[in-house]
């Protein structure tokens, strides 16, 4: 190395004068989209067919709010049934017992292979098919008896029908989450002396939840909108049917459709926020990217190791 080169080496290579690549068409496309969106909003706001006065009048109407609460209850009850039964079916599908596997597969085949609307019609006719239910000793005394035909069970049949249908889909989601965890994780837990339940609770499920939570959140949001099909039971006190009945009296379907859409959007937005925090909770440790709190903790640890002097 010459003296000139050795003298220039400590200074390093010359700075590169980088010029960022310009993308003018991106800005043109963005402006065009904003203009089109603005024109649509202006046109909708000035179009009398939307009936904004009627929309504002019925947006917070007591009947609509009650129907929204009924819709939320249907969603929660149906998803609870779907989750609990889905876990049982997923375990049965993974069981070495061929009978359990066959029963679980048959359940999934029936409930995923037929439309949910058809299933809800069946559950609406259930009190007519099974007018009396008796439980007792075969060829002996009856221990329990109930007459279904005289009862008003539309709400119960609605969320039971939705929940049983949802269980078939949740079973596959949960099964996919469980089998996504490498077998070495389970083997290591067993080698450490963990029981099957402890292995599932502390090793398998925390990792499987990263796969289970996102599609489960989508299923929950989908369930909220699927409740509009419970008219097949028939149950008519949910959000869509209630707004449709009001619009039939007013002869203004568009503003009442907007009312229903607004309530659906509000509830869906709340559910999406909950899904976001659940995903963030269960994704801890899955990414090498540190959060702000983790970076602050790391900086404090480095300061402590060097006696308060940053490295």
């Amino acid at each position: 190395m010459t003296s000139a080169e050795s003298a220039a080496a400590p200074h390093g290579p010359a700075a590169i004068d980088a010029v960022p690549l310009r993308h003018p068409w991106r800005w043109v496309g963005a402006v065009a989209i904003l203009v089109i969106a603005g024109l649509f909003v202006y046109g909708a706001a000035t179009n009398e067919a939307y009936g904004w006065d009627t929309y504002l009048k019925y947006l917070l109407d007591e009947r609509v709010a009650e129907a929204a609460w009924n819709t939320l209850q249907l969603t929660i009850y149906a998803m609870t049934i779907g989750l609990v039964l889905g876990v049982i079916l997923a375990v049965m599908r993974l069981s070495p017992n061929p009978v359990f596997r066959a029963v679980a597969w048959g359940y999934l085949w029936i409930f995923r292979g037929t439309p949910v609307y058809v299933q809800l019609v069946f559950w609406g006719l259930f009190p007519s098919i099974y007018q009396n239910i008796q439980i007792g000793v075969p060829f002996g005394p009856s221990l329990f008896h109930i007459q279904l035909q005289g009862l008003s069970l539309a709400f119960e049949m609605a969320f039971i029908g939705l929940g049983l249908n949802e269980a078939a889909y949740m079973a596959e989601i949960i099964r996919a989450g469980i089998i996504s965890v490498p077998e070495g994780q389970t083997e290591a837990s067993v080698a450490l002396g963990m029981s099957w339940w402890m292995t599932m609770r502390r090793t398998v499920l925390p990792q499987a939840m990263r796969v289970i939570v996102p599609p489960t959140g989508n299923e929950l949001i989908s369930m909220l909108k699927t409740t509009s099909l419970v008219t097949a039971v028939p149950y008519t006190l949910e959000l869509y049917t209630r707004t449709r009945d009001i619009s039939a009296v007013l002869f203004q379907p568009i503003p009442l459709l907007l009312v229903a859409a607004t309530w659906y959007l509000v509830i869906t937005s709340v559910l999406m926020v909950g899904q976001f925090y659940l995903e963030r909770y269960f994704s801890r440790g899955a990414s090498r990217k540190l959060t702000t709190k983790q970076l602050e903790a790391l900086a404090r640890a480095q300061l402590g190791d060097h006696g308060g002097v940053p490295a």
Side-chain angles (χ1 to χ4, degrees), residues 68-303:
W69 171 240
N70 292 336
T71 298
L72 186 58
Q73 290 185 85
L74 282 172
T75 303
I76 294 173
Y77 296 156
M79 281 303 299
T80 301
I81 294 175
L83 280 170
V84 173
L85 189 54
V87 170
I88 297 173
L89 290 169
V91 173
M92 292 174 65
R93 285 269 284 161
L94 296 172
S95 171
N97 189 316
V99 176
F100 286 170
R101 293 201 307 269
V103 171
W105 187 89
Y107 184 98
L108 269 60
W109 174 61
I110 293 174
F111 282 90
R112 292 198 303 173
T114 55
V116 62
Y117 189 86
V118 174
Q119 296 174 29
L120 289 173
V121 171
F122 172 84
W123 287 109
L125 297 173
F126 189 85
S128 299
I129 300 173
Y130 298 97
Q131 300 179 9
N132 299 294
I133 295 181
Q134 296 184 17
I135 299 176
V137 180
F139 307 104
S142 176
L143 303 178
F144 176 79
H145 174 267
I146 184 172
Q147 185 175 0
L148 296 180
Q149 196 170 24
L151 301 177
S152 178
L153 300 173
F155 180 79
E156 289 76 10
M157 292 293 105
F159 73 73
I160 288 174
L162 291 173
L164 293 178
N165 176 266
E166 183 62 30
Y169 296 92
M170 287 305 306
E172 290 298 277
I173 291 173
I174 295 169
R175 185 175 71 90
I178 293 175
I179 65 178
S180 69
V181 179
E183 293 183 1
Q185 300 284 330
T186 304
E187 294 170 355
S189 300
V190 173
L192 292 173
M194 292 186 182
S195 63
W196 180 88
W197 170 245
M198 185 177 293
T199 299
M200 291 295 294
R201 182 171 60 89
R202 303 190 63 176
T203 303
V204 177
L205 288 180
Q207 298 180 71
M209 291 300 288
R210 300 169 187 166
V211 178
I212 294 174
V213 170
T216 301
N218 293 336
E219 287 295 315
L220 178 62
I221 293 172
S222 177
M223 175 62 70
L224 174 71
K225 294 173 286 186
T226 306
T227 55
S228 60
L229 299 178
V230 296
T231 52
V233 171
Y235 180 73
T236 59
L237 299 181
E238 51 83 31
L239 181 58
Y240 170 72
T241 307
R242 179 60 65 87
T243 54
R244 187 190 63 184
D245 293 343
I246 296 175
S247 67
V249 175
L250 301 175
F251 297 103
Q252 296 189 57
I254 296 177
L256 271 301
L257 280 175
L258 292 175
V259 168
T262 302
W263 275 98
Y264 281 123
L265 282 172
V266 170
I267 300 174
T268 299
S269 300
V270 175
L271 296 178
M272 289 176 66
V273 171
Q275 178 184 350
F276 168 77
Y277 283 105
L278 270 178
E279 289 184 16
R280 191 172 72 172
Y281 175 80
F282 285 108
S283 65
R284 295 177 303 173
S287 175
R288 295 177 61 89
K289 184 178 179 181
L290 300 179
T291 63
T292 303
K293 292 183 178 180
Q294 290 172 332
L295 289 172
E296 292 176 353
L298 180 60
R300 288 194 298 267
Q302 290 178 343
L303 288 174

Side-chain angles (χ1 to χ4, degrees), residues 13-34:
I16 299 176
D17 186 14
V19 178
L21 184 63
R22 300 182 183 277
H23 299 279
W25 289 109
R26 292 182 181 178
W27 291 103
V28 173
V31 171
I33 292 173
L34 289 176

